[in-house]
C-alpha cells in the first residue's frame, strides 16, 4: 500500500485538489518527509505529478519553492543526456516534458483564447525547465525556457495586432467574412461534421420532401457513390450568414480506383433541421469509402474513428483583399502593424476559403498551354482541404445559388486540384 505522501500526489490532478490537501502535505514535510523520496518502483512525488496528462501548476510551484528541493535529484524528468537505471521512472511520449512543450507551442491557427489555454497548460513544464536550467542540468542544444516563452510572446503580440486590425476594418467597412478552419474533433456522432465514414440516411419513403427523395434515390442506386463529407451547419452557430443557420449537408463522390485521383461528379443532399428528427435514419455501411484516399492532411491520426475524420470548426475573420482598405485601417489605428500578420494569412483551406488564385496549366490542341483557374467561372468555394496523399479538393457553388438557408445545393461542384 502506498504511504500517505505518494497517495496524496497520486490523487491530486487539479489545482483545486492540491489546495484541499496542501496543509496535509506541508505537515508531512514538517514531520521530516523527504521531498525526493522514491516509491518501490523508483518514482518520486514530482514524477507522479508529471506522469499526468497535464500536471497541476499550483502543486508544481509549491514543490519547486520548497527549501529542500534539489533539481539534480529530479533530473530524470529531463529527457536529454539522462541515463536512467533499470526500473526507474521511464519517459514516454506522454510524459516527456519537452515533447509536451513542443505540442503546446502556438500554431498558425490558434487565436487569443487558444493561446491563453496553451500558456496555462505549459506553465508547469516551464517552471521545471527553468529550475533545471538554473542548476546547469539542461542540454544547450535543446530549446530553452526563454525560447518557449518568446514563442508565446511573439504569437500573442501578433494576435493582438491582428485583433486591432480586424476591429478597425469592421468599424470602417462593416462585418468581415467569417471562414472556418477544420480541426480534428474528439467527438463523433451520426450528424456531426466529418470527412468520410458511413453515412446515416433516411429510409426511402414518401414522407421525404420530393427534391430530397429524388436525390436520395440517385445516391442509393449508384454503388460507386460514397460519402465524401458532411457538414452540420448548426455547429457554425450562424457566424457566416451566407451559409445555412442549421441543417445537414451530405456530399457524395465516386470512389476512385486504387492509385487513381478522386475526380468526377458529386451529389449533394441537404436535410433541414425539420427533416432530421422526423425521418427514420439508418446507417449505410456500403456508402463508406474503402480507403483513406481523401483523408484530410494535418489531422492527428489519434482522432480518426475507423476511417472517419470528425471535424470541429474554428472560426476566423478573413481580412479584405483590398490593400487600400488595409492601409487605411492601419493609418487609423495609429500604431505599427507588422505586415507579416496579414501578408501570411492562409485562406485557401477550410470552410468558405478563398481559392480564386489556384490555377492549373491547360494544354491546347495546338500544343500551347494556358494558366486557368481551378474554380469554375462565377463560383464561390464552400470547402477546400488537402488530401494526405496528394492533391486537394474544392467544393464550389455558383454565386447566385448560395443563399443561406435557401441555398440550392444541387449545384454544388467538385474539383480535384493537383499539388
Amino acid at each position: 500500500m502506498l504511504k500517505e505522501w505518494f497517495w496524496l500526489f497520486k490523487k491530486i490532478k487539479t489545482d483545486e485538489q492540491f489546495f484541499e490537501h496542501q496543509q496535509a502535505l506541508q505537515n508531512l514535510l514538517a514531520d521530516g518527509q523527504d521531498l525526493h523520496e522514491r516509491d518501490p518502483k523508483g518514482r518520486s512525488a514530482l514524477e507522479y505529478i508529471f506522469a499526468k496528462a497535464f500536471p497541476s501548476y499550483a502543486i508544481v510551484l509549491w514543490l519547486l519553492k520548497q527549501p529542500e528541493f534539489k533539481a539534480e535529484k529530479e533530473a530524470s524528468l529531463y529527457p536529454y543526456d539522462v541515463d536512467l537505471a533499470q526500473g526507474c521512472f521511464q519517459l514516454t511520449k506522454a510524459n516527456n516534458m519537452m515533447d509536451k512543450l513542443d505540442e503546446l507551442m502556438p500554431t498558425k491557427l490558434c487565436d487569443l483564447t487558444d493561446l491563453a489555454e496553451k500558456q496555462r497548460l505549459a506553465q508547469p513544464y516551464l517552471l521545471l525547465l527553468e529550475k533545471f536550467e538554473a542548476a546547469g542540468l539542461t542540454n544547450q542544444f535543446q530549446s530553452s525556457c526563454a525560447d518557449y516563452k518568446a514563442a508565446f510572446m511573439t504569437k500573442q503580440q501578433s494576435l493582438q495586432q491582428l485583433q486591432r486590425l480586424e476591429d478597425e476594418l469592421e468599424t470602417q467597412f462593416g462585418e468581415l467574412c467569417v471562414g472556418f478552419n477544420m480541426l480534428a474533433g474528439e467527438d463523433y456522432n451520426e450528424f456531426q461534421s466529418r470527412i468520410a465514414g458511413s453515412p446515416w440516411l433516411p429510409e426511402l419513403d414518401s414522407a421525404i420532401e420530393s427534391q430530397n427523395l429524388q436525390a436520395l434515390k440517385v445516391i442509393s442506386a449508384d454503388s460507386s457513390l460514397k460519402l465524401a463529407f458532411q457538414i452540420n451547419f448548426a455547429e457554425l452557430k450562424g457566424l457566416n450568414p451566407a451559409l445555412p443557420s442549421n441543417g445537414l449537408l451530405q456530399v457524395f463522390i465516386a470512389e476512385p480506383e486504387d492509385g487513381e485521383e478522386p475526380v468526377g461528379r458529386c451529389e449533394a443532399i441537404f436535410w433541414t433541421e425539420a427533416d432530421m428528427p422526423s425521418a427514420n435514419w439508418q446507417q449505410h455501411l456500403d456508402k463508406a469509402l474503402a480507403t483513406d484516399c481523401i483523408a484530410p492532411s494535418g489531422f492527428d491520426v489519434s482522432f480518426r474513428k475507423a476511417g472517419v475524420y470528425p471535424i470541429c470548426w474554428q472560426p476566423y475573420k478573413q481580412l479584405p483583399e483590398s490593400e487600400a482598405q488595409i492601409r487605411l485601417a492601419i493609418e487609423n489605428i495609429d500604431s505599427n502593424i507588422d505586415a507579416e500578420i496579414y501578408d501570411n494569412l492562409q485562406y485557401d483551406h477550410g470552410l468558405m476559403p478563398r481559392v480564386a488564385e489556384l490555377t492549373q496549366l491547360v494544354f491546347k490542341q495546338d500544343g500551347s498551354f494556358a494558366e486557368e483557374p481551378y474554380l469554375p467561372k462565377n463560383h464561390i468555394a464552400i470547402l477546400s482541404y488537402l488530401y494526405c496523399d496528394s492533391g486537394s479538393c474544392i467544393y464550389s457553388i455558383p454565386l447566385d445559388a448560395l443563399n443561406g438557408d435557401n441555398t440550392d445545393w444541387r449545384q454544388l461542384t467538385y474539383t480535384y486540384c493537383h499539388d
Side-chain angles (χ1 to χ4, degrees):
M1 182 175 178
L2 286 175
K3 63 184 295 185
E4 184 179 3
W5 175 253
F6 292 111
W7 179 81
L8 287 171
F9 276 91
K10 190 170 185 178
K11 186 175 181 179
I12 295 170
K13 297 181 175 66
T14 65
D15 289 350
E16 292 73 19
Q17 290 172 338
F18 164 66
F19 296 136
E20 290 175 13
H21 300 292
Q22 182 177 4
Q23 190 58 55
L25 290 169
Q26 198 72 57
N27 292 340
L28 288 171
L29 285 179
D31 290 340
Q33 170 65 50
D34 178 3
L35 191 72
H36 301 290
E37 181 182 357
R38 295 185 176 270
D39 72 2
K41 293 185 177 180
R43 299 169 296 184
S44 70
L46 192 63
E47 288 172 344
Y48 271 68
I49 293 301
F50 277 92
K52 295 174 172 60
F54 292 105
S56 157
Y57 169 76
I59 196 171
V60 172
L61 181 62
W62 177 80
L63 272 171
L64 301 188
K65 282 191 170 183
Q66 296 304 314
E68 305 92 336
F69 182 82
K70 294 181 174 56
E72 61 271 14
K73 291 193 174 183
E74 301 291 346
S76 59
L77 278 164
Y78 188 72
Y80 305 112
D81 296 336
V82 176
D83 186 15
L84 296 178
Q86 188 174 2
C88 287
F89 177 77
Q90 297 295 311
L91 293 167
T92 67
K93 181 70 175 175
N95 59 32
N96 184 321
M97 61 179 289
M98 304 300 283
D99 281 351
K100 280 288 189 180
L101 279 170
D102 289 341
E103 290 172 4
L104 290 169
M105 284 301 97
T107 64
K108 184 169 64 175
L109 301 182
C110 75
D111 57 20
L112 282 167
T113 301
D114 299 325
L115 184 67
E117 178 65 3
K118 287 177 178 291
Q119 286 176 302
R120 184 186 71 81
L121 295 174
Q123 279 183 319
Y125 302 101
L126 291 174
L127 283 174
L128 185 58
L129 180 58
E130 200 166 31
K131 275 285 186 182
F132 285 152
E133 288 174 348
L137 298 171
T138 55
N139 186 323
Q140 62 176 323
F141 300 107
Q142 302 300 329
S143 298
S144 67
C145 186
D147 294 332
Y148 289 118
K149 288 181 177 180
F152 280 123
M153 181 61 68
T154 300
K155 186 65 174 181
Q156 184 176 32
Q157 291 173 345
S158 294
L159 288 174
Q160 288 171 341
Q161 286 190 352
L162 186 59
Q163 181 72 64
R164 290 200 299 272
L165 183 55
E166 289 173 352
D167 291 344
E168 181 60 31
L169 284 162
E170 286 187 326
T171 299
Q172 292 188 50
F173 307 108
E175 291 295 318
L176 299 179
C177 179
V178 175
F180 297 87
N181 291 313
M182 298 166 48
L183 305 177
E186 296 183 11
D187 300 322
Y188 168 64
N189 61 64
E190 61 268 35
F191 295 140
Q192 184 184 352
S193 298
R194 56 185 167 92
I195 292 170
S198 53
W200 288 71
L201 297 167
E203 288 185 336
L204 283 167
D205 58 42
S206 57
I208 300 175
E209 185 267 329
S210 59
Q211 180 176 302
N212 277 358
L213 179 62
Q214 182 59 36
L216 188 56
K217 286 180 177 178
V218 170
I219 291 167
S220 300
D222 190 337
S223 61
S224 70
L225 289 174
K226 311 293 182 181
L227 181 70
F229 70 90
Q230 66 180 29
I231 298 173
N232 187 331
F233 288 106
E235 297 168 1
L236 308 181
K237 299 179 172 49
L239 290 174
N240 192 315
L243 297 170
S245 55
N246 48 52
L248 181 72
L249 174 67
Q250 293 179 313
V251 178
F252 298 79
I253 63 171
E255 182 169 29
E257 299 290 336
D258 285 345
E260 296 295 320
E261 299 163 349
V263 296
R265 83 182 202 278
C266 71
E267 296 287 343
I269 187 165
F270 179 72
W271 308 99
T272 68
E273 189 179 32
D275 294 328
M276 294 167 67
S278 61
N280 181 22
W281 295 78
Q282 306 268 336
Q283 187 175 21
H284 288 255
L285 299 175
D286 62 316
K287 289 297 179 183
L289 289 163
T291 66
D292 285 332
C293 60
I294 62 169
S297 178
F299 269 36
D300 188 335
V301 71
S302 64
F303 289 100
R304 179 180 166 198
K305 315 285 184 180
V308 182
Y309 292 84
I311 295 172
C312 64
W313 302 102
Q314 183 183 51
Y316 64 93
K317 295 177 181 177
Q318 299 190 40
L319 300 187
E321 298 181 48
S322 168
E323 287 291 334
Q325 287 184 347
I326 292 177
R327 283 198 301 271
L328 180 58
I330 292 174
E331 290 173 9
N332 287 345
I333 293 171
D334 194 26
S335 65
N336 292 326
I337 297 289
D338 185 354
E340 286 190 5
I341 70 168
Y342 56 86
D343 284 346
N344 295 333
L345 292 174
Q346 299 291 322
Y347 295 141
D348 57 349
H349 287 93
L351 191 61
M352 298 305 293
R354 289 185 193 163
V355 296
E357 295 181 0
L358 290 180
T359 59
Q360 59 182 324
L361 293 178
V362 177
F363 290 88
K364 309 294 185 179
Q365 288 185 345
D366 60 2
S368 64
F369 62 89
E371 197 170 354
E372 296 181 1
Y374 273 113
L375 199 65
K377 190 175 181 181
N378 297 324
H379 270 231
I380 184 171
I382 298 297
L383 180 72
S384 175
Y385 68 91
L386 188 67
Y387 297 139
C388 279
D389 51 3
S390 63
S392 58
C393 63
I394 302 176
Y395 293 89
S396 65
I397 199 167
L399 274 167
D400 57 4
L402 182 64
N403 186 25
D405 291 325
N406 299 313
T407 296
D408 183 4
W409 293 107
R410 293 172 298 176
Q411 299 189 56
L412 193 73
T413 298
Y414 166 70
T415 304
Y416 176 84
C417 304
H418 297 275
D419 281 346

